[in-house]
Amino acid sequence: MEVLQAKFVRQFVEMANDGYTHGYHERNGGNLSYWILPEEIEQVRAHLFPSRPWMDIGTEVPELAGEYFLVSGTGCFFRHIKDDTVNTCGIIEVDLTGEKFRILWGFESGGRPTSELPAHLMNHAVKKGITNGKNRVIYHSHPVNLIALTFLLPLNDSAFTKELWQMMTECPVIFPDGIGVLPWMVPGQKEIAVATSKKMKDYNAVVWAHHGIFVSGTTFDEAFGLCHTIEKSAEIAVKVRSVSHSKLQTITRPMLRELAAAFKIKLAELFMR
Ligand code: 13P
Ligand code: ZN
């Protein structure tokens, strides 16, 4: 099968385009990666060419040795992914040490994977262990309201989780573990990749102060839906704060407990205090 016809590629492109139309990807902002299933790589193997050199990942991911990923390219605009997939995206293979990768398909005009490849692969490695290989998608975007909130709330997991849980009734159901928050850090480096992957041990979403968010998901829909929900909740928070400094009423802790009982979910106790 031609790579562009494979279902996982079509879903990847559709999600990238959804992110663009939602306004999460100005210019080359944001990036996306998908851990390809063994049967999916077999479907397209005839169109993969191991002719390009091995390159450093910039970190170590021995847990992902020999695995294949579809990734967006550095400097590529999400608005172009739909119509120019072969130049804006590529399939890569991780070597057996987990320290290098090579391009097998895509990046036809000489591009290479996103500068956040270390963060994507370290997050995949952590989630592979936690979810027994079920997590497949890691997504980074720049949603405007969430970034705005990083100028207004204390930069810690508790402040963000509590505020965003309270902004829309179904938020606690969608991210019952809460969300992680990192202080401002230089993007594209191993340090921010390590810090993000540590937070991914506890959460499916990690906010980067004054920058954006990383989310994980078992499917494209799960990952995109989580980002979309968090950003919508952040938009409500920003709107409420724009109108008034204080809230007249909110979703209280007893209400959160009622919700958890009704939906049979366990909300992270840390944020119920
Ligand atoms: P890339 O163009 O390298 O993917 O970087 C975009 C970005 O959002 C960095 O955090
Ligand atoms: Zn970014």
Side-chain angles (χ1 to χ4, degrees):
M1 184 189 294
E2 290 279 350
V3 174
L4 290 177
Q5 283 164 7
K7 190 172 172 197
F8 71 93
V9 179
R10 286 188 280 115
Q11 289 177 327
F12 183 102
V13 170
E14 189 186 4
M15 172 163 163
N17 200 56
D18 274 348
Y20 172 66
T21 55
H22 279 73
Y24 302 163
H25 302 281
E26 79 294 341
R27 207 176 178 281
N28 65 308
N31 22 77
L32 176 61
S33 65
Y34 172 72
W35 178 24
I36 304 171
L37 290 165
E39 57 269 30
E40 290 171 330
I41 206 74
E42 290 319 315
Q43 287 170 357
V44 298
R45 189 166 301 272
H47 300 275
L48 305 181
F49 299 101
S51 51
R52 283 179 262 186
W54 291 102
M55 290 182 274
D56 286 331
I57 292 171
T59 190
E60 310 81 41
V61 282
E63 307 86 341
L64 304 178
E67 299 295 340
Y68 299 84
F69 295 85
L70 177 59
V71 294
S72 61
T74 187
C76 295
F77 291 23
F78 264 51
R79 68 187 290 256
H80 295 154
I81 287 183
K82 189 162 171 262
D83 293 328
D84 194 16
T85 315
V86 293
N87 287 309
T88 54
C89 301
I91 291 177
I92 61 164
E93 176 187 10
V94 175
D95 78 349
L96 295 180
T97 66
E99 290 176 18
K100 291 182 186 295
F101 73 92
R102 65 180 170 182
I103 297 165
L104 300 179
W105 176 89
F107 301 126
E108 281 189 2
S109 46
R112 52 168 290 164
T114 171
S115 58
E116 304 293 1
L117 188 66
H120 278 263
L121 294 184
M122 290 193 85
N123 290 337
H124 276 293
V126 163
K127 287 296 178 190
K128 180 185 178 194
I130 293 174
T131 67
N132 275 330
K134 286 202 173 63
N135 191 86
R136 314 302 299 191
V137 180
I138 299 289
Y139 176 50
H140 168 57
S141 68
H142 296 174
V144 65
N145 294 287
L146 186 65
I147 296 171
L149 217 46
T150 67
F151 295 89
L152 299 170
L153 291 182
L155 294 174
N156 63 65
D157 307 353
S158 177
F160 270 74
T161 299
K162 286 178 181 169
E163 181 78 7
L164 296 178
W165 272 0
Q166 288 187 331
M167 284 298 119
M168 202 165 62
T169 295
E170 292 183 18
C171 283
V173 180
I174 291 157
F175 45 99
D177 300 329
I179 65 177
V181 179
L182 287 180
W184 184 88
M185 294 177 78
V186 177
Q189 310 288 313
K190 183 175 176 179
E191 289 71 24
I192 198 167
V194 170
T196 309
S197 64
K198 260 192 207 154
K199 291 272 183 195
M200 279 286 180
K201 289 181 183 159
D202 295 321
Y203 309 111
N204 289 324
V206 181
V207 176
W208 283 5
H210 320 324
H211 184 146
I213 187 168
F214 259 86
V215 295
S216 64
T218 52
T219 63
F220 291 103
D221 277 348
E222 286 297 335
F224 190 78
L226 178 58
C227 176
H228 192 191
T229 306
I230 290 171
E231 167 59 2
K232 188 166 184 184
S233 187
E235 182 175 355
I236 298 167
V238 167
K239 285 198 162 135
V240 169
R241 278 159 188 268
S242 314
V243 175
S244 165
H245 288 299
S246 60
K247 298 168 196 145
L248 205 53
Q249 55 269 323
T250 187
I251 300 172
T252 60
R253 247 170 284 162
M255 288 153 99
L256 287 173
R257 293 210 185 278
E258 257 188 80
L259 187 75
F263 280 81
K264 297 184 176 49
I265 49 160
K266 202 176 153 0
L267 294 176
E269 205 48 47
L270 189 64
F271 308 125
M272 293 295 277
R273 289 179 209 136

